[in-house]
Amino acid sequence: MKHLRTLMAVTVAMTFLLSLSVALRPVEVRSTADIQCHEAVLTAASGTVTSSSCDGELAARVSGLLDSSVREVGDVVDIGWARRVDVVVPASDSELVSLVGPAFADMAGIAIRDGSGQRVVINRVRAATLTDLELRVLLRHEITHVATRDLTSDSAPLWLVEGFADWVAFHGLGLSLRQAAPLLKSDVSALPSDFGGSGRDLAYQQAYSIMVYLESRLGERGVVDFFLRTASLSAVDPGVVDVAGWREFLRTSIG
């Protein structure tokens, strides 16, 4: 899961601030333009996966996980949304950049909203190395952004937006807090804010742990209600989370 956590940290940031996620490093994506490829569309009950035929293996894996991922997100985030997600696997670096911009090309997955509506863009180079479990978590995270975007304020803090998406993504997988968030320490004093700097990976894991802490107090539905109520505000008071209680929860859970 350490490999997954690294990818997840690069995968998602500022989704609602920019209608995209934040990338942190450029990546060289090999083009398939010199091979005889054509656009291929796989159809699932819950959406489509559009890719190059040269990326058929990855597209088939994504398509095979799409229905269950949408259903799993819908079971947790029980709100009124389309429960349909269209996924795009760009065939080249130029196509990837045209969809997400040059600053975002390093991520494994990105939830975007453009003239074609909401979509999840999958970086074929990054995603091809993921296990099925890791790919499932990636899809569930991005699908959560799609499901909740219209109910979330652009000013919602990243600890809330990304922590909730991670909480949904890992929900029901049977992983302990330590397994899902191996960098966590209990000596927290404030809500995480360094989602773009050197402390990025830890910030994501702290954000996720806040949601796990809230689940221990509020229950599963309580976390969803907390997210929807808080993320819809034009401004969120940092005091909505009891940092002392969160710290004590971490001490009890991970030592």
Side-chain angles (χ1 to χ4, degrees):
M1 299 305 293
K2 181 179 180 181
H3 175 55
L4 171 61
R5 270 296 175 181
T6 301
L7 285 169
M8 290 294 291
V10 179
T11 296
V12 282
M14 294 195 171
T15 303
F16 292 95
L17 296 176
L18 303 175
S19 290
L20 288 168
S21 304
V22 165
L24 301 167
R25 300 183 302 276
V27 66
E28 184 68 24
V29 182
R30 292 181 295 110
S31 174
T32 57
D34 57 341
I35 305 173
Q36 294 301 314
C37 305
H38 59 271
E39 183 179 279
V41 180
L42 298 178
T43 301
S46 302
T48 62
V49 180
T50 302
S51 72
S52 162
S53 59
C54 292
D55 296 313
E57 181 179 353
L58 175 59
R61 292 178 62 210
V62 172
S63 180
L65 292 168
L66 188 58
D67 286 346
S68 61
S69 298
V70 169
R71 182 178 64 253
E72 288 158 356
V73 171
D75 287 346
V76 179
V77 188
D78 186 16
I79 58 175
W81 64 290
R83 299 201 180 201
R84 176 184 173 84
V85 177
D86 293 316
V87 180
V88 179
V89 184
S92 65
D93 55 349
S94 59
E95 183 182 355
L96 180 65
V97 168
S98 72
L99 287 173
V100 306
F104 301 90
D106 189 43
M107 297 184 297
I110 312 123
I112 69 169
R113 176 162 53 187
D114 56 18
S116 298
Q118 294 206 67
R119 292 177 288 171
V120 172
V121 179
I122 298 294
N123 182 323
R124 76 185 200 282
V125 173
R126 289 275 182 182
T129 64
L130 299 180
T131 66
D132 284 346
L133 175 61
E134 292 168 343
L135 187 57
R136 178 184 174 193
V137 170
L138 173 64
L139 286 171
R140 286 170 58 162
H141 185 113
E142 299 303 335
I143 290 168
T144 301
H145 286 317
V146 172
T148 61
R149 190 188 302 277
D150 289 337
L151 301 175
T152 305
S153 168
D154 289 345
S155 60
L158 288 179
W159 65 261
L160 178 64
V161 174
E162 302 303 343
F164 183 73
D166 251 7
W167 178 76
V168 176
F170 283 100
H171 188 272
L173 296 183
L175 297 173
S176 69
L177 182 57
R178 174 59 73 195
Q179 288 173 313
L183 296 179
L184 275 181
K185 296 181 180 179
S186 60
D187 57 343
V188 293
S189 58
L191 301 180
S193 59
D194 184 18
F195 287 87
S198 59
R200 178 194 67 237
D201 291 2
L202 177 59
Y204 277 103
Q205 295 183 33
Q206 288 177 334
Y208 167 67
S209 75
I210 291 172
M211 298 301 146
V212 178
Y213 159 60
L214 290 175
E215 184 180 10
S216 73
R217 296 178 56 228
L218 306 175
E220 178 180 312
R221 184 66 222 183
V223 174
V224 177
D225 290 342
F226 171 85
F227 171 78
L228 295 175
R229 180 176 65 254
T230 309
S232 64
L233 300 176
S234 58
V236 177
D237 182 351
V240 297
V241 173
D242 175 13
V243 174
W246 171 41
R247 181 168 58 246
E248 184 58 32
F249 171 77
L250 290 178
R251 285 175 179 163
T252 302
S253 301
I254 63 175

